[in-house]
Amino acid sequence: MATDAKMSDTYEKGEPGFGEGNILKPDEAIDIEARRDSTMVHGRKMSRIGPPPKIGSLPDTSGSDDEYGKLVAMEANDAIKYRTCSWQKTAALLFSEYICLAIMSFPYSYSVLGLVPGIILTVVQAAFVLYTSLVVWEFCLRHPETRDVCDIGQMLFWNSRWAWYFTAVMFILNNTFIQGLHVLTISRYLNTMSGHTVCTVGFAAIGAVVSWICSMPRTFSALSKLAAFSAFFTFVSVILAAAFAGAEGKHGTAGYNPDPNHVNALGVKQGGEPLVLAVPMAGTTFVSGMNAFLNISYTFIGQITLPSFIAEMKNPYDFRKALWLVTICEIILFSLVGGIVYGYTGTQYNTAPAFGSLGNDIYKKISFSFMIPTLIFLGVLYASVSARFVFFRLFDGTRHKSSHTVVGWVSWAAILGATWVLAFIIAEVIPFFADLLSLMSSLFDSFFGWIFWGVAYMRMRYADLGPGFWRKRGIRGWIGFLMNIFIIVVGFYFLGVGTYASVDSIVLDYENGNVRGVFTCADNSV
């Protein structure tokens, strides 16, 4: 609610469009101030935490009877309409983001953490991601003009410019790292299928070019069909991998040797019957355990894209339908695939991704081949999110944003091209899969999976109820307050301890000779 001074100032100056001759009556001034502090979306009033970020050039829709409806109406005559996604199409985008290659790192994580702690952490991580994703959704409903997580970052930290720039840098780095991970994996797939007939750098370049071409659609609605296709084939891929692991049996695992004292070609002791442990093996280090957990976390944490998805929905209230559907499927699929493949490959013979654990070369190639759509599409999805961030700010308010112009399309292609060049460089400079997942999780998921949304909860509840809001909601308020303090603390733990564990693991891998050089032709097949 406005202060008396603010209301008096508004009353004296008047405001265009209200009252006769732009002179406000006192009750009208009060109403204007109240409407500035709240949002109306589809007839529901929700408190805002502050004005739109000025640096993002967002439209000021305060005072509209239906702010989201006004934004949709602004695009009614555009050739390219962005707010057209149904909840089913959004679910397809979410499935393509979460039902991905990283699922095949779960057997490795379970082999380090033990089956019981691994599954428990899978369910717990899913529950926290669901909760924080609902916080993201609520925040976007209160601020329907937000287009991506960078706008949210600025609003969360009191509309300061440094927060917008900091979030933007982290946002682009996160997305580009994910693109790089997929360029790396495409090169591994091509090497696996071809028997290393081409230099690995060449395969990585092919992956980057193909992904760039597939990134061209400008709306998420257009990408949703490709997303559904990608998620379906990924599901088939991981189910086949689990089925093939069962068909081979424990003795068919890649690298299996009945001698428990066997030393493999890398000088590592690897032999005996596959060990399937309910709890971590004695001697498991903190670094290896933390990296295994970060692999699980990376697969679940994807809140960085959610504001971009919600911004293009026909009805953002339907987002939670897509979210609940995807979360339930995730828990079932991740736990089953991780547990089954680990059950047959054991602790000694596990690889990340787990396709490398299959002893039968035909099985490996068949199951890995069904992963092709997601190897390409998930990188495409993150490239599209990054390109939107840049493109919308370059051409906001111009016809190039919403019309089929040469300038618009050439700029879109150039922005995408720049992201894929960076992704190619990352793939060649950081050529390892499991450790790259862990590093990304600790550096970026700490903010976009935890810290941001704990802060968002605090800011929204403060806007609703003022100081001491946790006391005004009874036990529910205290639980929410303490839970979100915990979420923020976990985020900083990820950032500090997680980054240390990831970097230490990378250093150890280099010292042990487990990592190939940068920009090398060396074979990286699974």
Side-chain angles (χ1 to χ4, degrees):
M1 182 60 65
T3 63
D4 292 339
K6 285 184 179 179
M7 290 186 288
S8 175
D9 182 62
T10 306
Y11 171 73
E12 290 176 2
K13 292 181 179 179
E15 186 164 323
F18 292 89
E20 296 181 5
N22 296 335
I23 301 299
L24 300 177
K25 299 176 182 178
D27 58 338
E28 291 175 326
I30 293 172
D31 184 57
I32 289 174
E33 292 295 335
R35 292 169 76 180
R36 282 175 177 160
D37 293 336
S38 64
T39 285
M40 293 293 292
V41 182
H42 294 296
R44 304 185 189 188
K45 186 175 181 179
M46 309 184 78
S47 298
R48 299 177 61 91
I49 68 168
K54 294 180 180 179
I55 195 169
S57 301
L58 297 175
D60 182 7
T61 58
S62 58
S64 169
D65 289 335
D66 187 338
E67 297 192 20
Y68 195 83
K70 182 176 180 179
L71 293 170
V72 173
M74 290 169 63
E75 296 181 1
N77 297 319
D78 293 343
I80 302 175
K81 297 179 178 63
Y82 291 99
R83 300 177 190 271
T84 55
C85 261
S86 63
W87 77 265
Q88 293 91 342
K89 290 181 177 180
T90 304
L93 293 170
L94 290 174
F95 271 117
S96 70
E97 181 178 3
Y98 291 115
I99 310 300
C100 62
L101 179 64
I103 298 173
M104 298 310 289
S105 71
F106 274 68
Y108 158 76
S109 294
Y110 290 179
S111 73
V112 175
L113 297 169
L115 189 58
V116 173
I119 292 177
I120 291 174
L121 287 173
T122 298
V123 175
V124 169
Q125 182 66 70
F128 271 107
V129 170
L130 174 63
Y131 174 78
T132 52
S133 297
L134 290 172
V135 172
V136 179
W137 170 66
E138 182 185 344
F139 192 97
C140 290
L141 290 181
R142 292 169 183 251
H143 306 86
E145 73 281 357
T146 54
R147 292 172 296 195
D148 48 51
V149 75
C150 301
D151 293 331
I152 293 178
Q154 182 167 345
M155 278 188 278
L156 285 181
F157 298 100
W158 294 273
N159 216 27
S160 58
R161 289 197 171 195
W162 70 263
W164 188 90
Y165 284 115
F166 173 79
T167 307
V169 170
M170 297 291 284
F171 177 71
I172 294 296
L173 284 176
N174 176 81
N175 295 353
T176 309
F177 263 75
I178 292 176
Q179 291 174 245
L181 176 64
H182 283 264
V183 170
L184 169 63
T185 311
I186 290 171
S187 72
R188 299 191 72 180
Y189 169 77
L190 293 174
N191 268 322
T192 301
M193 298 302 294
S194 68
H196 190 51
T197 57
V198 174
C199 172
T200 297
V201 176
F203 278 144
I206 291 171
V209 171
V210 171
S211 299
W212 172 68
I213 294 171
C214 293
S215 303
M216 290 301 168
R218 293 259 289 271
T219 67
F220 285 135
S221 182
L223 285 174
S224 62
K225 292 181 180 178
L226 293 176
F229 181 79
S230 167
F232 172 76
F233 276 87
T234 301
F235 174 78
V236 173
S237 175
V238 298
I239 293 299
L240 282 176
F244 289 154
E248 288 182 338
K250 294 184 177 182
H251 295 173
T253 300
Y256 171 75
N257 191 295
D259 180 8
N261 297 314
H262 171 71
V263 177
N264 65 20
L266 296 175
V268 178
K269 186 176 178 180
Q270 183 187 49
E273 292 296 306
L275 295 174
V276 179
L277 304 174
V279 295
M281 179 183 291
T284 299
T285 65
F286 169 78
V287 170
S288 60
M290 189 67 188
N291 276 330
F293 174 57
L294 288 171
N295 277 342
I296 292 175
S297 300
Y298 166 78
T299 310
F300 277 107
I301 293 176
Q303 296 96 314
I304 190 171
T305 63
L306 301 190
S308 301
F309 293 163
I310 295 169
E312 291 202 18
M313 290 189 70
K314 290 178 182 177
N315 182 359
Y317 275 101
D318 285 341
F319 177 74
R320 58 183 167 183
K321 297 179 184 177
L323 187 62
W324 274 101
L325 175 63
V326 172
T327 301
I328 292 170
C329 292
E330 281 179 314
I331 294 173
I332 295 171
L333 184 62
F334 295 178
S335 300
L336 283 177
V337 171
I340 291 171
V341 175
Y342 172 50
Y344 284 104
T345 59
T347 300
Q348 313 99 300
Y349 307 108
N350 234 290
T351 62
F355 296 113
S357 301
L358 298 175
N360 187 308
D361 200 48
I362 299 299
Y363 287 169
K364 181 192 304 181
K365 290 182 178 180
I366 290 175
S367 56
F368 203 179
S369 291
F370 276 93
M371 192 65 73
I372 292 175
T374 199
L375 295 184
I376 296 173
F377 182 78
L378 188 53
V380 164
L381 184 63
Y382 277 88
S384 183
V385 170
S386 293
R388 272 171 173 68
F389 166 73
V390 177
F391 185 82
F392 285 1
R393 284 159 178 80
L394 285 178
F395 296 105
D396 199 27
T398 72
R399 63 190 182 92
H400 304 301
K401 175 184 172 183
S402 55
S403 300
H404 297 289
T405 66
V406 173
V407 171
W409 278 106
V410 169
S411 300
W412 177 256
I415 294 167
L416 287 169
T419 68
W420 284 111
V421 169
L422 289 173
F424 168 76
I425 293 172
I426 289 172
E428 292 304 306
V429 172
I430 312 177
F432 31 78
F433 183 84
D435 285 337
L436 181 54
L437 281 179
S438 299
L439 183 63
M440 289 167 55
S441 185
S442 58
L443 285 177
F444 305 123
D445 292 348
S446 55
F447 290 98
F448 299 125
W450 300 92
I451 296 171
F452 269 34
W453 314 121
V455 173
Y457 173 89
M458 301 294 186
R459 295 293 314 278
M460 288 190 294
R461 296 298 170 263
Y462 185 91
D464 291 336
L465 301 170
F469 60 85
W470 57 89
R471 294 192 297 269
K472 299 175 183 178
R473 304 180 74 209
I475 186 65
R476 181 183 177 188
W478 277 103
I479 291 174
F481 175 74
L482 294 175
M483 179 183 294
N484 283 276
I485 289 293
F486 175 75
I487 286 171
I488 294 171
V489 170
V490 169
F492 281 108
Y493 181 82
F494 262 59
L495 180 62
V497 178
T499 302
Y500 164 77
S502 301
V503 172
D504 191 54
S505 180
I506 292 170
V507 171
L508 289 173
D509 279 344
Y510 271 105
E511 290 178 351
N512 295 330
N514 297 332
V515 180
R516 63 188 179 88
V518 300
F519 290 99
T520 178
C521 285
D523 188 3
N524 68 346
S525 57
V526 300

